[in-house]
Amino acid sequence: RVAREADRMAGLIADVARAAGEQADASDQAARAVGDMRRRSAQVAQALAEQTRAGREATTAAAHISAQLAALTRAHREHAAAGATVLG
């Protein structure tokens, strides 16, 4: 009877050891997943910063184009008025 209980105890210890190994594996996987999520979060933050910067640059470029078009329009009006004056 003692031998049987010792065998049963050895089986239980083996089960506990196996479960502890599985928990260690699961813990490693969770740690890797957290690391991946942190890396991806950093990448998303960087991408958002780059998009914000690109948006600002596009806004600035649009303002410059608008100013150049206004200057061209003024120059054409002045040229047309000078031409009308010359032609009389």
Side-chain angles (χ1 to χ4, degrees), residues 44-58:
V44 167
Q46 182 180 359
L48 287 172
E50 289 172 2
Q51 286 180 346
T52 300
R53 193 168 32 258
R56 282 192 209 121
E57 290 173 2

Side-chain angles (χ1 to χ4, degrees):
R1 174 176 164 108
V2 171
R4 216 174 341 162
E5 284 300 313
D7 286 343
R8 189 173 81 76
M9 181 64 74
L12 291 173
I13 290 171
D15 289 345
V16 168
R18 192 171 27 258
E22 289 172 0
Q23 285 180 344
D25 290 344
S27 180
D28 287 345
Q29 289 175 354
R32 280 193 301 274
V34 167
D36 288 345
M37 289 175 64
R38 284 185 181 141
R39 255 189 311 283
R40 289 185 181 141
S41 293
Q43 289 172 345
V44 167
Q46 182 180 359
L48 287 172
E50 289 172 2
Q51 286 180 346
T52 300
R53 193 168 32 258
R56 282 192 209 121
E57 290 173 2
T59 300
T60 300
H64 288 297
I65 290 170
S66 179
Q68 289 174 356
L69 287 173
L72 280 172
T73 301
R74 264 193 317 277
H76 284 295
R77 279 191 201 132
E78 291 169 4
H79 183 74
T85 301
V86 169
L87 293 176

